[in-house]
Amino acid sequence: MSFKAKVNQYRRKIMRSLTGDIGKDSLNKINNNEVLKLDKVLVSRPNHRLGNTLLITPLIQEIIAYNPQVKIDLFVKGRVTPIIFENYPQIDQIIMLPKKPLKELGAYLKGWSKLKKKKYDLVINVEKGSSSGKISTNMARAKHKLFGEEFISDTRQEIQLHQAQYPVYQFRKFLELFGNEPNSNQVLSMNMKLTDKEKEKGKEILEGVTKNSDKKTLAFFTFATGGKCYSEEWWTTFYELFYPKYAEEYNLIEILPVENISMLQRRLPEFYSKDVREIAAVMYNCEIVVAADSGMMHLSCAAPTKTIGLFKSESFLERYKPYGNENAVVVAKDDNQQGVMKEIERLLSL
């Protein structure tokens, strides 16, 4: 583990010990005879990662389903959130903390101060383990607050809820306190809400990459950060399996990361863009996207298109695997390319 990773680990441990008791009595003031009003809601997820931001889209859809006229503010980090929620008219204000607080201290402090400027009917902390999420929820002015741990039980089913489902589960349990019927419906999928125009542009871009509009496309996103990234050797072995099997019937492309790195050594036609919505639109027009565990894997799910996620470890697998019924996950440590091939074949048959 690097020095930076160790520092961050200790920092998180200290902050969690300091914030562990925040919100313990958050439900004590609820009057069960009260008619719940949810006109103004604040959702807190101060994390800059693309995947973590996409994972709150099911919660936002759930809140909108309860009250289509709701105004939702988001307390987040980084600049990707307005792009993701561009076509959600219920999103009112996005309070953005800078990705690097020490370099933009003024903007960082200003972001926190905005939490006091409005009064909300409800504040929801999305990630129960987030110290900054708990602190922001505690600071915000609201009649009701969900800190993320109010309805935790010891049952295996609830502990293993996917991160896209967990805050929705908390929200549904909260609604039950006000006489709403239990909701056991499937939690909605992640959704970028691409427009028809965006989808059509994605189709045109894809045709420009493949030079063939008559065949469906299988896409591969081969990069990931840190230990999640597979080696060029791993991808070469996988390439030698999928290319002879699918090259004749399908277009095969590689979607490149912002770093413009190809783990396939540029053997396939490539698509490169820094526009998140454009990337999602290209993914939407693919038949399947195979992706290492990354924000791009979640982006594919939110396009939406069929997605196969590659994980090196089973740790956090249930929480962060590709969310959705037509998606799949493969635990592929240093091998198991055959397992990925089986999932490609299965999804193509659906």
Side-chain angles (χ1 to χ4, degrees), residues 256-290:
L256 298 176
V258 68
E259 294 87 352
N260 198 14
I261 295 172
S262 168
M263 304 306 288
L264 281 170
Q265 301 177 335
R266 306 189 183 276
R267 292 183 176 97
L268 299 178
E270 298 165 353
F271 167 66
Y272 177 82
S273 175
K274 293 183 180 180
D275 185 328
V276 171
R277 297 193 71 85
E278 185 175 80
I279 298 168
V282 168
M283 289 175 163
Y284 174 83
N285 284 279
C286 294
E287 186 69 10
I288 291 177
V289 174
V290 178

Side-chain angles (χ1 to χ4, degrees), residues 230-242 310 330-344:
Y230 291 84
S231 67
E232 288 186 357
E233 290 76 17
W234 190 96
W235 282 103
T236 295
T237 300
F238 184 39
Y239 172 86
E240 291 170 353
L241 291 174
F242 74 73
L310 310 181
V330 178
V331 178
K333 297 178 181 178
D334 294 319
D335 50 21
N336 202 22
Q337 289 91 343
Q338 286 287 0
V340 187
M341 293 293 291
K342 289 179 181 178
E343 287 303 315
I344 293 176

Side-chain angles (χ1 to χ4, degrees), residues 18-57:
L18 293 174
T19 60
D21 290 331
I22 292 179
K24 290 293 185 182
D25 58 351
S26 61
L27 302 180
N28 290 351
K29 298 178 182 179
I30 288 180
N31 178 355
N32 296 86
N33 296 319
E34 175 187 351
V35 176
L36 181 63
K37 178 183 177 183
L38 289 184
D39 293 331
K40 295 179 181 179
V41 175
L42 174 68
V43 174
S44 179
R45 187 60 168 112
N47 182 285
H48 70 277
R49 295 184 182 278
L50 172 63
N52 285 333
T53 306
L54 287 163
L55 285 164
I56 69 174
T57 58

Side-chain angles (χ1 to χ4, degrees), residues 139-152:
M139 282 181 60
R141 298 167 58 219
K143 185 169 186 179
H144 300 295
K145 298 183 179 183
L146 278 175
F147 288 85
E149 296 179 313
E150 287 82 358
F151 303 104
I152 291 177

Side-chain angles (χ1 to χ4, degrees), residues 16-17 30 36 58 61 77 108 112 114 124 138 160 164 187 189 200 247 254-255 262 270:
R16 285 170 184 169
S17 67
I30 288 180
L36 181 63
Q61 293 175 84
K77 196 180 224 181
Y108 182 74
W112 281 95
K114 287 182 179 180
I124 302 174
N138 197 47
Q160 291 194 342
V187 174
S189 298
E200 188 59 33
E254 181 177 6
I255 298 175
S262 168
E270 298 165 353

Side-chain angles (χ1 to χ4, degrees), residues 8-216:
N8 285 331
Q9 186 181 62
Y10 285 123
R11 177 185 58 81
R12 285 192 291 267
K13 187 175 181 180
I14 292 169
M15 288 302 298
R16 285 170 184 169
S17 67
L18 293 174
T19 60
D21 290 331
I22 292 179
K24 290 293 185 182
D25 58 351
S26 61
L27 302 180
N28 290 351
K29 298 178 182 179
I30 288 180
N31 178 355
N32 296 86
N33 296 319
E34 175 187 351
V35 176
L36 181 63
K37 178 183 177 183
L38 289 184
D39 293 331
K40 295 179 181 179
V41 175
L42 174 68
V43 174
S44 179
R45 187 60 168 112
N47 182 285
H48 70 277
R49 295 184 182 278
L50 172 63
N52 285 333
T53 306
L54 287 163
L55 285 164
I56 69 174
T57 58
L59 172 63
I60 301 304
Q61 293 175 84
E62 189 84 10
I63 297 169
I64 293 170
Y66 183 79
N67 177 14
Q69 307 305 316
V70 69
K71 294 296 182 184
I72 303 173
D73 287 1
L74 302 175
F75 183 68
V76 296
K77 196 180 224 181
R79 302 183 183 278
V80 73
T81 306
I83 299 168
I84 291 172
F85 290 99
E86 182 177 305
N87 292 326
Y88 281 79
Q90 292 85 357
I91 300 298
D92 190 26
Q93 181 185 27
I94 299 177
I95 304 171
M96 290 185 292
L97 299 178
K99 183 178 176 180
K100 297 181 179 180
L102 294 179
K103 290 187 176 181
E104 301 179 66
L105 186 58
Y108 182 74
L109 296 175
K110 184 178 179 181
W112 281 95
S113 69
K114 287 182 179 180
L115 289 172
K116 292 290 188 180
K117 292 187 177 181
K118 279 189 185 181
K119 184 161 185 189
Y120 300 97
D121 300 309
L122 174 65
V123 180
I124 302 174
N125 173 37
V126 170
E127 170 52 59
K128 63 181 182 295
S130 169
S131 299
S132 54
K134 283 187 173 183
I135 292 170
S136 60
T137 302
N138 197 47
M139 282 181 60
R141 298 167 58 219
K143 185 169 186 179
H144 300 295
K145 298 183 179 183
L146 278 175
F147 288 85
E149 296 179 313
E150 287 82 358
F151 303 104
I152 291 177
S153 76
D154 293 329
T155 65
R156 182 176 177 83
Q157 180 183 5
E158 290 165 13
I159 290 172
Q160 291 194 342
L161 279 174
H162 194 281
Q163 185 58 33
Q165 298 173 312
Y166 185 85
V168 175
Y169 168 82
Q170 293 281 307
F171 178 64
R172 288 178 177 180
K173 287 294 183 182
F174 173 76
L175 295 182
E176 289 179 29
L177 299 179
F178 298 87
N180 290 278
E181 292 293 324
N183 185 349
S184 59
N185 293 335
Q186 174 70 34
V187 174
L188 292 174
S189 298
M190 296 152 57
N191 197 333
M192 285 276 289
K193 290 189 179 290
L194 294 170
T195 64
D196 290 341
K197 185 176 181 180
E198 287 176 316
K199 293 173 183 177
E200 188 59 33
K201 181 183 176 184
K203 181 180 179 182
E204 292 173 2
I205 293 172
L206 185 59
E207 289 176 358
V209 173
T210 63
K211 312 299 182 186
N212 188 331
S213 60
D214 296 329
K215 298 193 291 187
K216 294 179 179 179

